[in-house]
Amino acid sequence: MLSQLVLSITDSETTSNISLFTGSDEMLRVAKDGFYVRGVRVNQDAQEAEKVYNAFHQWLTWATLNRTY
């Protein structure tokens, strides 16, 4: 059985990111320079928290529906 990568935490000297994937697609990335939803950087404005929350909620729903344990 192939296991799907759902959560990836990368920590190295040049980058420190947390990436949440749906299958092979990156849904949300937390990086030193900001948040990325589906590969697009989220602007820091009044809707930033809502956009990041919605992306996290979608990822969490996907991960829950697709878990194999």
Side-chain angles (χ1 to χ4, degrees):
M1 176 194 297
L2 296 174
S3 63
Q4 295 179 339
L5 177 66
V6 176
L7 174 63
S8 171
I9 301 175
T10 304
D11 188 16
S12 67
E13 293 179 19
T14 58
T15 62
S16 290
N17 299 325
I18 298 173
S19 297
L20 306 176
F21 289 83
T22 55
S24 62
D25 299 325
E26 183 182 67
M27 175 68 96
L28 179 65
R29 178 174 10 128
V30 181
K32 288 182 180 181
D33 62 339
F35 293 99
Y36 293 79
V37 174
R38 294 183 180 92
V40 178
R41 190 165 189 267
V42 178
N43 292 328
Q44 292 182 343
D45 57 15
Q47 286 80 36
E48 177 188 27
E50 182 178 4
K51 291 174 186 174
V52 172
Y53 170 81
N54 287 337
F56 178 75
H57 187 265
Q58 290 171 5
W59 170 81
L60 187 60
T61 301
W62 180 91
T64 301
L65 293 172
N66 289 285
R67 68 181 174 200
T68 58
Y69 54 92

